[in-house]
């Protein structure tokens, strides 16, 4: 298990994570974009148990763009991003997460990448924004 990202709560990290770190469970801290992509590409599954109301979930999309299935909590926008049984699985509670990891690892990495590219490629996203702006009356022309 590789854990990456900032330490938000030092006491929580020291009490709940640090004691479990060893050769098989490691914390690598903040990683740059290339390192993050490398970790996702080599991962069997991305476990992203965000408790907060994630407004979009770009990390989930980055993982899926590498063909990596996602397991996380069904908070915020994630139910709109993760296709249950196609790109990963979402749980209502943390206790459900371990049971979903093996299921997610059996998903097709090719199908995960294909699905995320169908839904979130930059050209498609830009076109959807343009259509929305036109529909609500915002001009696409610069002032």
């Amino acid at each position: 298990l590789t854990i990456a990202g900032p330490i938000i709560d030092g006491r929580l990290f020291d009490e709940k994570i640090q004691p479990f770190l060893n050769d098989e469970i490691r914390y690598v801290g903040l990683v740059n974009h290339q390192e993050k992509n490398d970790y996702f590409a080599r991962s069997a599954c991305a476990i992203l148990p965000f408790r907060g109301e994630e407004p979009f979930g770009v990390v989930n999309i980055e993982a899926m763009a590498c063909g990596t299935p996602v397991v996380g909590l069904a908070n915020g926008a994630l139910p709109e991003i993760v296709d249950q049984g196609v790109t990963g699985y979402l749980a209502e509670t943390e206790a459900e997460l371990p049971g979903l990891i093996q299921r997610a690892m059996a998903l097709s990495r090719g199908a995960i990448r294909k699905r995320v590219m169908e839904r979130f490629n930059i050209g498609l996203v830009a076109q959807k924004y343009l259509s929305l702006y036109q529909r609500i009356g915002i001009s696409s022309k610069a002032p």
Side-chain angles (χ1 to χ4, degrees):
L1 176 66
T2 301
I3 303 167
I7 297 173
I8 305 296
D9 182 334
R11 192 175 112 197
L12 175 72
F13 181 85
D14 291 344
E15 292 175 8
K16 302 289 185 180
I17 297 173
Q18 183 71 43
F20 296 98
L21 298 178
N22 56 47
D23 290 340
E24 294 181 348
I25 302 172
R26 61 193 186 115
Y27 171 68
V28 296
L30 291 173
V31 295
N32 66 36
H33 184 70
Q34 184 60 52
E35 291 169 323
K36 179 175 48 176
N37 287 343
D38 291 342
Y39 279 119
F40 282 143
R42 292 190 323 259
S43 296
C45 181
I47 307 165
L48 303 162
F50 305 129
R51 291 180 179 165
E53 293 293 317
E54 182 79 17
F56 182 63
V58 78
V59 174
N60 295 275
I61 293 169
E62 290 172 325
M64 294 183 298
C66 293
T68 304
V70 169
V71 170
L73 295 173
N75 292 332
L78 294 187
E80 296 176 46
I81 294 170
V82 177
D83 293 327
Q84 292 279 71
V86 178
T87 61
Y89 292 98
L90 297 177
E92 295 300 320
T93 67
E94 292 170 6
E96 297 171 71
L97 294 174
L100 296 175
I101 294 169
Q102 285 296 114
R103 290 175 60 193
M105 288 169 45
L107 296 174
S108 164
R109 292 179 74 95
I112 293 167
R113 175 141 172 84
K114 181 177 185 266
R115 182 66 178 137
V116 79
M117 293 310 293
E118 290 170 352
R119 294 185 64 206
F120 299 107
N121 77 65
I122 192 68
L124 176 64
V125 171
Q127 184 57 48
K128 286 185 175 187
Y129 271 113
L130 181 59
S131 291
L132 175 63
Y133 294 157
Q134 290 170 338
R135 193 169 68 241
I136 63 175
I138 297 174
S139 173
S140 63
K141 296 178 182 173

